[in-house]
């Protein structure tokens, strides 16, 4: 298998050879200088690979004797230090017995090593119990043995047609526990019970039996006596050393008998099956009865039951058609389950499950290869904003200790989450064809139909997929979520096809490979009981964790986020987090008068609100700005408000103390008013979802704050406006009713050190009001100057959520006026239209 794995195009394999070069099986597991030297050499080579290669998986075939397993245990412990996934493989069946018969101290050593193991491979379903003491069943994999041999079915058929003599073969070590004496005793019965001519060919080497304690000399005496008694019916060939001689014998065999008492999955049975032999063997021994199906490709008898063994041999000796039928079924089963190709295929799937586990829950066909490409542009976000210790200390001063620490923690974790949103390429083999799928890692791999492609060639490795810089940028812009617009998906598909002209779109394979229905996807969830109130958060991103969580943590029943699994990896909450909208809707429906905070992608706000109110009309909905992206969505929200629904909108600056002071001052204004908002916005990379075509650009995402503030401060309608620049750097001039002029200047040019910085200046009558970044308010009236200064920047977040809680507790209506939903949304879209034109 090692050679075949090395040849795999999609795997990088490094080998630590632990084999004993002396080619003497008696040296296995012995404590001698050669074995100690070989063990140390292997250990240091493994450490070298762990340090300099950093493998994803360390695969260790484990032994079932003390000295050899001590070496394997050291491999496991050292590999765990380097955080590699550890996959062990047991080729036998008595590891648990080996553990139970070990000393107390050695058992503790085995326990210590097994705690570090991520997955274990056994030969069959019946052997899973061996590792259930240490591993959950989903981490115990079944991988049968294999035979690497190019068999020719027609050639094998031609060797089975000689009717003159039935050829029975035993091939293996000639030891009592291998059932050799049971076979010879049964042959004595067969000889007396049939007139059909037959011969028993016996090939193997006599030796001591560690199971029964029978010595070599005792074996020689008993074996010699049987040969004399059976005469020309028994033919002892001796030990076969050449592979070609072994298969030549098996190809010329009509019945293969192997009545062993103690096995895992004997390779010799697989070799016999590969040569089209019907097999007689023992039931309830290792996984023999998973290999030989009784009555299909052979017969199974109880071990050490001479009468049953003789009857089984007689049944096949006397029935040529049954022999041929069983033999062809053996050949068929071998081709389906025990070839090297099948073994590699299944082994690769085990590696995939070991590495990605729950991320594959949307797939019913496992990929044979997965390639993860680290996102590049997410670093731009943090590099542009320059998160440093110096910045953190500054924020401690201007925003307070609690909020600053919370923000810093969330920003660091958000960076880890974004770093983990790998670009994912998956390769599938199905019905002799190769398919590729492209998606993102959101804590799970959820492909979309449009992202499946079929290869025109059947030997394409996953590393052959080429993605240009342009396509990679589009790939980073894409997320497999309902909100991602079709134009992004189409651009990505076109880029993939342009870069890889041997691929063709093949969305039809989606229903074959992917699950259309899966169970509820809550992380840490028990179904909630009926409650009178509580809070649900739809969209559990950094902003909600930084601001809203403080106010509603004790009231939260559940949350929703497409990145639920990634969030749960870094945060510990007492409530479940769902990653599917339909799942949390079931919970919302079960609560009387729930508060539902919607802070998802902006294009989701209106339809989610409608769905929430449809399933629970008593729900109180709070939408984080903006209320809507399109005018149609704004109309939906307005109509729902008109029908009495509780829908509030989260424009936090309306609630800031300095905003309230300015608004009260403007009530006394007479004549002309001039308002200037100068805003330094944060830089964001072009792959940010704000730039999706359905999200309303940065006008809807960011400018909406100051457009809403203009409405709140004046209460007037816009008569005319003009725009200079684009949605990153622009000036918007407004003419409003009652001789009010306003300008909003927004730019992301300059330093992001202080976050979003704002400077407002309002002039009316003989008054000038200056607001500097919500920390300092200055009011100048004629010769009088009043200055309010705060140590901490207060943009109204806390007051907004306190007002929301108070309104709900006192059964008051929403704070935000319904008509302002239309006013702000319509004006944003007019500005976007002018910028695009």
């Amino acid at each position: 298998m090692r050679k075949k794995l090395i040849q795999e195009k999609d795997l990088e394999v490094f080998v630590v050879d632990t084999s004993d070069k002396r080619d003497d099986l008696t040296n296995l597991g012995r404590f001698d200088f050669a074995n100690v030297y070989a063990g140390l050499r292997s250990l240091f080579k493994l450490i070298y690979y762990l340090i300099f290669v950093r493998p994803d998986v360390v695969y260790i075939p484990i032994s079932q004797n003390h000295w050899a397993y001590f070496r394997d245990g050291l491999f496991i412990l050292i590999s765990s230090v380097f955080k590699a996934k550890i996959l062990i493989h047991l080729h036998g069946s008595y590891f648990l017995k080996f553990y139970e018969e070990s000393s107390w101290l050695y058992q503790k050593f085995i326990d210590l090593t097994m705690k570090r193991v991520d997955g274990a491979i056994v030969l069959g379903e019946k052997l899973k119990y061996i590792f259930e003491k240490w591993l959950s069943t989903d981490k115990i994999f079944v991988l049968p043995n294999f035979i690497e041999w190019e068999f020719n079915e027609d050639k094998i058929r031609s060797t089975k047609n000689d009717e003159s003599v039935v050829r029975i073969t035993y091939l293996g070590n000639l030891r009592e526990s291998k059932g050799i004496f049971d076979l010879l005793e049964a042959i004595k019965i067969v000889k007396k019970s049939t007139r059909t001519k037959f011969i028993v060919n016996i090939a193997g080497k006599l030796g001591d039996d560690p199971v029964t304690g029978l010595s070599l000399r005792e074996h020689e005496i008993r074996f010699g006596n049987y040969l004399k008694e059976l005469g020309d019916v028994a033919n002892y060939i001796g030990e076969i050393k050449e592979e070609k001689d072994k298969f030549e014998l098996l190809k010329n065999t009509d019945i293969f008998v192997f009545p062993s008492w103690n096995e895992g999955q004997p390779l010799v049975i697989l070799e016999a099956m590969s040569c089209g032999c019907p097999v007689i063997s023992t039931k309830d021994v290792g996984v023999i009865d998973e290999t030989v199906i009784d009555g299909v490709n052979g017969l199974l008898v109880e071990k050490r039951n001479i009468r049953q063994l003789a009857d089984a041999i007689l049944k096949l000796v006397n029935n040529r058609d049954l022999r041929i039928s069983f033999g062809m079924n053996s050949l068929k089963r071998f081709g389906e389950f025990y070839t090297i190709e099948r073994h590699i295929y299944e082994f690769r799937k085990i590696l995939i499950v070991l590495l990605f586990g729950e991320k594959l829950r949307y797939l019913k066909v496992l990929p044979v290869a997965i390639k993860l490409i680290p996102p590049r542009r997410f670093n731009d976000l943090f590099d542009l904003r320059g998160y440093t210790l110096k910045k953190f200390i500054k924020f401690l001063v201007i925003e307070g200790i609690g909020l600053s620490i919370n923000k810093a923690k969330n920003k660091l974790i958000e960076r880890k989450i974004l770093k983990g949103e790998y670009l994912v390429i998956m390769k599938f083999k199905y019905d002799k064809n190769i398919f590729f799928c492209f998606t993102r890692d959101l804590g799970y791999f959820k492909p979309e139909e449009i992202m499946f492609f079929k290869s025109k060639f059947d030997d394409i490795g996953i590393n052959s997929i080429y993605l240009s810089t342009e396509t990679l940028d589009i790939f980073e812009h894409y997320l497999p979520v309902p909100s991602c617009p079709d134009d992004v998906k189409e651009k990505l598909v076109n880029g993939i096809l342009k870069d890889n002209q041997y691929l063709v779109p093949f969305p039809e394979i989606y229903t074959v490979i992917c699950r259309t229905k899966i169970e509820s996807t809550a992380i840490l969830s028990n179904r909630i009981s009926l409650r009178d109130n509580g809070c649900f958060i739809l969209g559990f991103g950094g902003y909600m964790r930084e601001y809203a969580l403080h106010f509603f943590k004790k009231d939260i029943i559940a949350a929703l986020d497409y990145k639920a699994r990634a969030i749960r990896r870094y945060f510990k909450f007492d409530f479940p987090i769902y990653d599917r909208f339909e799942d949390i809707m079931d919970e919302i429906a079960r609560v009387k008068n729930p508060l539902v905070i919607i802070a998802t992608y902006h294009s989701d706000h209106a339809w989610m609100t409608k769905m929430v109110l449809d399933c629970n009309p008593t729900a109180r909905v709070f939408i984080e700005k903006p209320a809507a992206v399109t005018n149609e969505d704004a109309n939906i929200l307005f109509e729902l408000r008109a029908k009495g629904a509780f829908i509030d909108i989260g424009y936090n600056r309306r609630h800031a103390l300095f905003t309230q002071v300015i608004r009260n001052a403007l009530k006394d204004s007479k004549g002309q008013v001039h308002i200037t908002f100068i805003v330094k916005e944060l830089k964001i990379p072009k792959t940010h979802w704000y730039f999706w075509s359905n999200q309303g650009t940065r006008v809807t995402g960011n400018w909406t704050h100051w457009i809403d503030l203009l409405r709140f401060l004046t209460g007037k309608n816009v008569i005319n406006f003009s725009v200079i620049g684009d949605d990153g750097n622009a000036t918007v001039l407004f003419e409003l009713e009652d001789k009010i002029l306003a300008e909003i200047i927004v730019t992301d040019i300059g330093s992001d050190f202080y976050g979003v910085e704002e400077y407002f200046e309002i002039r009316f009558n003989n008054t000038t009001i200056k607001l500097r970044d919500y920390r300092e308010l200055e009011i100048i009236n004629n010769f009088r100057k009043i200055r309010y200064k705060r140590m901490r920047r207060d943009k109204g977040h806390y007051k907004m959520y306190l007002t929301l809680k108070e309104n709900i507790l006192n059964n008051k209506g929403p704070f935000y006026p319904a008509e302002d939903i239309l006013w702000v949304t319509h004006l944003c879209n007019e500005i976007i239209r002018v910028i695009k034109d």
Side-chain angles (χ1 to χ4, degrees):
M1 184 177 80
R2 182 172 67 193
K3 293 178 181 178
K4 284 286 186 179
L5 281 175
I6 292 172
Q7 293 171 7
E8 291 287 294
K9 295 180 180 179
D10 308 324
L11 293 176
E12 192 173 7
V13 180
F14 299 89
V15 178
V16 177
D17 189 356
T18 62
S19 61
D20 190 328
K21 306 301 181 184
R22 291 173 289 178
D23 195 26
D24 185 351
L25 294 179
T26 61
N27 293 314
L28 292 177
R30 288 178 56 183
F31 182 71
D32 60 24
F33 176 79
N35 280 336
V36 170
Y37 173 76
L40 290 174
R41 180 193 60 202
S42 303
L43 193 63
F44 286 120
K45 191 171 184 180
L46 173 63
I47 293 171
Y48 171 84
Y49 285 140
L50 289 168
I51 293 173
F52 297 104
V53 177
R54 308 293 295 182
D56 297 304
V57 178
V58 176
Y59 166 74
I60 305 171
I62 61 171
S63 305
Q64 299 176 115
N65 66 70
H66 290 91
W67 288 115
Y69 185 79
F70 183 74
R71 174 203 61 200
D72 300 338
L74 291 178
F75 288 167
I76 292 170
L77 294 175
I78 290 171
S79 300
S80 68
V81 171
F82 290 88
K83 308 299 182 184
K85 293 280 187 179
I86 299 167
L87 177 64
I88 61 174
H89 193 161
L90 178 64
H91 287 280
S93 62
Y94 54 92
F95 184 83
L96 193 58
K97 184 179 179 182
F98 158 65
Y99 170 82
E100 291 168 349
E101 293 177 352
S102 297
S103 67
W104 172 85
L105 187 61
Y106 202 88
Q107 285 184 1
K108 291 298 180 184
F109 174 71
I110 295 175
D111 291 337
L112 178 67
T113 58
M114 284 297 168
K115 287 178 182 177
R116 270 72 174 174
V117 169
D118 297 287
I121 298 175
V122 293
L123 297 171
E125 292 289 339
K126 292 180 68 174
L127 299 182
K128 280 188 170 183
Y129 76 93
I130 292 173
F131 293 110
E132 287 177 353
K133 174 180 174 64
W134 302 285
L135 297 170
S136 57
T137 52
D138 62 317
K139 294 183 178 180
I140 306 173
F141 308 99
V142 172
L143 184 65
N145 282 325
F146 68 93
I147 296 299
E148 190 172 3
W149 182 55
E150 297 292 335
F151 64 96
N152 185 306
E153 186 171 332
D154 293 332
K155 201 169 184 179
I156 289 171
R157 285 177 185 273
S158 67
T159 66
K160 309 296 181 184
N161 296 327
D162 186 3
E163 296 184 51
S164 59
V165 178
V166 177
R167 298 159 296 185
I168 302 170
T169 295
Y170 173 95
L171 176 62
N173 289 320
L174 304 183
R175 297 174 183 171
E176 182 181 28
S177 61
K178 295 294 183 181
I180 180 59
F181 298 136
D182 296 341
L183 170 61
L184 295 173
E185 195 65 38
I187 291 299
K188 289 164 59 177
I189 299 173
V190 173
K191 184 178 179 181
K192 297 175 182 176
S193 306
T194 183
R195 294 182 178 179
T196 304
K197 292 183 179 180
F198 70 91
I199 187 170
V200 182
N201 292 311
I202 302 168
K205 182 180 180 181
L206 289 161
D208 297 329
D209 194 329
V211 177
T212 65
L214 200 67
S215 68
L216 169 61
R217 181 59 185 157
E218 290 172 304
H219 277 92
E220 289 174 341
I221 293 170
R222 288 184 63 181
F223 185 65
N225 291 336
Y226 274 115
L227 291 181
K228 290 178 183 178
E229 189 174 354
L230 291 171
D232 57 2
V233 168
N235 174 36
Y236 177 49
I237 298 172
E239 183 182 4
I240 296 180
K241 295 184 178 181
E242 297 293 332
E243 288 288 304
K244 62 182 181 62
D245 295 334
K246 179 200 303 183
F247 284 108
E248 192 62 32
L249 171 64
L250 291 171
K251 282 191 292 181
N252 289 281
T253 293
D254 297 303
I255 305 169
F256 181 77
V257 185
F258 192 71
S260 182
W261 305 352
N262 188 13
E263 294 291 336
Q265 185 179 43
L267 292 177
V268 69
I269 288 182
L270 302 184
E271 291 167 341
M273 289 171 61
S274 75
C275 293
C277 299
V279 179
I280 297 174
S281 193
T282 39
K283 63 177 70 173
D284 297 323
V285 173
V287 293
I288 289 176
D289 45 8
E290 292 180 31
T291 311
V292 179
I293 309 303
D294 194 20
V296 175
N297 68 312
L299 298 171
L300 296 176
V301 301
E302 295 176 0
K303 64 181 179 182
R304 306 182 70 175
N305 191 318
I306 308 299
R307 183 70 256 180
Q308 282 189 12
L309 182 58
D311 290 343
I313 296 171
L314 278 168
K315 187 173 183 177
L316 290 183
V317 165
N318 293 328
N319 192 331
R320 176 180 179 275
D321 292 339
L322 190 62
R323 293 199 305 271
I324 292 175
S325 173
F326 282 0
M328 291 303 103
N329 288 338
S330 280
L331 198 60
K332 182 179 178 182
R333 278 187 62 77
F334 174 80
E336 288 179 356
F337 301 110
Y338 305 114
T339 62
I340 179 62
E341 291 76 19
R342 177 74 182 194
H343 191 83
I344 294 293
Y345 175 72
E346 294 297 331
F347 182 72
R348 292 185 64 139
K349 289 202 298 185
I350 291 171
L351 292 179
I352 293 293
V353 173
L354 184 74
L355 288 170
F356 302 106
E358 271 295 301
K359 292 185 178 184
L360 306 170
R361 60 195 173 91
Y362 284 100
L363 304 175
K364 57 185 178 182
V365 176
L366 290 176
V368 294
I370 296 178
K371 183 175 182 178
L372 302 180
I373 303 172
R376 303 166 302 150
R377 298 301 181 191
F378 92 96
N379 277 318
D380 296 347
L381 177 66
F382 296 92
D383 293 341
L384 288 171
R385 297 182 184 177
Y387 293 110
T388 62
L389 179 60
K390 186 178 179 181
K391 183 171 184 176
F392 171 68
I393 293 171
K394 191 67 180 177
F395 268 72
L396 285 176
V397 176
I398 64 177
E399 293 198 340
I401 296 173
L403 180 58
S404 296
I405 291 175
N406 199 23
K407 273 190 170 183
K409 176 184 174 183
N410 274 283
K411 292 292 185 291
L412 289 172
I413 291 176
E414 193 68 21
R415 183 166 193 162
K416 292 179 181 179
I417 291 173
L418 290 172
K419 187 178 181 180
E421 289 180 6
Y422 290 101
L423 318 181
V424 181
I425 307 174
M426 293 187 282
K427 175 184 174 181
F428 297 88
K429 284 185 180 179
Y430 184 80
D431 197 22
K432 299 181 180 180
N433 292 306
I434 299 295
F435 300 92
F436 290 96
C437 171
F438 298 78
T439 188
R440 295 291 297 275
D441 184 354
L442 300 181
Y444 54 85
F445 302 152
K446 187 179 181 182
E448 296 186 292
E449 288 184 54
I450 194 173
M451 293 300 165
F452 277 95
F453 302 83
K454 181 181 178 181
S455 172
K456 296 177 183 178
F457 309 108
D458 59 6
D459 60 346
I460 294 296
I462 202 167
N463 291 322
S464 300
I465 298 292
Y466 168 72
L467 298 176
S468 63
T469 301
E470 181 183 359
T471 304
L472 284 171
D473 286 344
I474 300 169
F475 204 166
E476 286 199 41
H477 201 35
Y478 162 76
L479 287 174
V481 297
S483 309
C484 187
D486 290 340
D487 63 304
V488 172
K489 300 175 185 179
E490 289 169 5
K491 286 179 183 177
L492 179 55
V493 169
N494 292 334
I496 292 168
L497 293 174
K498 180 181 177 182
D499 294 340
N500 305 274
Q501 296 186 12
Y502 55 84
L503 296 181
V504 293
F506 208 85
E508 307 94 283
I509 199 65
Y510 173 83
T511 54
V512 174
I513 289 176
C514 297
R515 300 182 191 277
T516 54
K517 291 183 180 180
I518 64 171
E519 295 181 2
S520 178
T521 55
I523 311 300
L524 185 69
S525 174
N526 292 313
R527 191 161 182 84
I528 62 171
S529 57
L530 197 62
R531 292 176 54 168
D532 289 336
N533 51 58
C535 178
F536 294 89
I537 296 180
L538 311 187
F540 200 50
Y543 173 83
M544 293 307 295
R545 298 193 300 269
E546 290 167 16
Y547 291 101
L549 189 61
H550 171 76
F551 288 91
F552 301 101
K553 190 171 184 178
K554 294 180 180 178
D555 304 312
I556 296 174
I557 297 173
L560 167 75
D561 200 282
Y562 295 124
K563 305 175 187 178
R565 292 183 179 273
I567 292 170
R568 177 61 66 181
R569 191 180 306 139
Y570 300 106
F571 293 97
K572 304 299 179 185
F573 299 116
D574 296 330
F575 50 84
I577 307 176
Y578 293 89
D579 56 21
R580 294 192 310 184
F581 181 70
E582 56 268 30
D583 292 333
I584 201 169
M585 289 293 288
D586 293 340
E587 308 289 23
I588 291 173
R590 294 168 58 83
V591 179
K592 297 177 182 178
N593 306 310
L595 168 63
V596 181
I597 300 176
I598 298 178
T600 56
Y601 298 110
H602 301 156
S603 59
D604 295 343
H605 290 178
W607 71 262
M608 278 191 175
T609 299
K610 188 174 186 310
M611 292 283 287
V612 166
L613 292 170
D614 284 346
C615 87
N616 191 337
T618 67
R620 279 75 62 90
V621 179
F622 181 84
I623 304 174
E624 278 296 338
K625 68 82 195 168
V629 173
T630 67
N631 294 341
E632 293 77 10
D633 284 350
N635 292 336
I636 291 171
L637 297 177
F638 182 81
E639 290 171 6
L640 289 170
R641 278 283 295 267
K643 294 176 182 178
F646 185 106
I647 302 174
D648 209 348
I649 312 299
Y651 282 101
N652 54 281
R653 284 165 179 78
R654 287 191 177 215
H655 298 266
L657 175 62
F658 286 160
T659 302
Q660 298 287 343
V661 172
I662 294 171
R663 190 181 189 223
N664 289 332
L666 278 171
K667 289 179 181 178
D668 299 328
S669 65
K670 295 177 182 179
Q672 289 185 326
V673 177
H674 190 276
I675 300 173
T676 301
F677 297 154
I678 301 176
V679 181
K680 165 61 183 77
E681 255 293 3
L682 295 174
K683 303 178 185 72
I684 57 175
K686 289 298 181 181
T687 53
H688 195 282
W689 60 268
Y690 265 30
F691 294 107
W692 285 351
S693 58
N694 59 352
Q695 299 304 313
T697 74
R698 295 199 74 174
V699 174
T700 302
N702 298 117
W703 295 19
T704 183
H705 275 299
W706 303 285
I707 293 169
D708 173 77
L709 204 54
L710 183 64
R711 174 66 170 176
F712 181 66
L713 293 176
T714 66
K716 305 300 181 181
N717 292 320
V718 173
I719 299 171
N720 195 13
F721 74 90
S722 61
V723 182
I724 303 172
D726 56 33
D727 65 345
N729 302 280
T731 298
V732 188
L733 304 175
F734 297 95
E735 180 185 358
L736 292 90
E737 298 169 332
D738 294 346
K739 299 180 180 180
I740 298 175
L741 296 177
E743 57 185 334
I744 299 177
I745 303 169
V746 183
T747 180
D748 61 4
I749 298 173
S751 171
D752 285 351
F753 186 79
Y754 290 97
V756 177
E757 295 179 87
E758 301 166 61
Y759 174 78
F760 302 164
E761 190 169 294
I762 299 98
R763 297 176 182 272
F764 61 93
N765 301 340
N766 294 318
T767 302
T768 299
I769 300 176
K770 298 178 182 180
L771 176 61
R772 296 180 179 88
D773 206 22
Y774 279 95
R775 295 179 64 201
E776 183 179 335
L777 180 66
E778 185 177 85
I779 302 175
I780 305 171
N781 182 262
N782 291 326
F783 299 104
R784 295 178 59 201
K785 180 187 289 187
I786 302 173
R787 178 179 292 176
Y788 301 93
K789 194 168 184 179
R790 301 174 64 100
M791 180 177 289
R792 298 176 183 173
R793 183 162 56 187
D794 177 15
K795 296 185 180 182
H797 294 96
Y798 287 164
K799 181 64 176 175
M800 177 177 69
Y801 290 119
L802 283 173
T803 302
L804 174 63
K805 290 193 79 170
E806 289 171 1
N807 288 348
I808 289 174
L809 288 173
N810 297 315
N811 292 317
K812 293 182 179 180
F815 173 85
Y816 197 83
E819 58 271 16
D820 286 4
I821 296 174
L822 298 178
W823 194 94
V824 173
T825 306
H826 283 238
L827 183 54
C828 284
N829 284 315
E830 281 298 304
I831 293 171
I832 292 169
R833 181 186 60 79
V834 171
I835 291 174
K836 288 182 177 178
D837 290 343

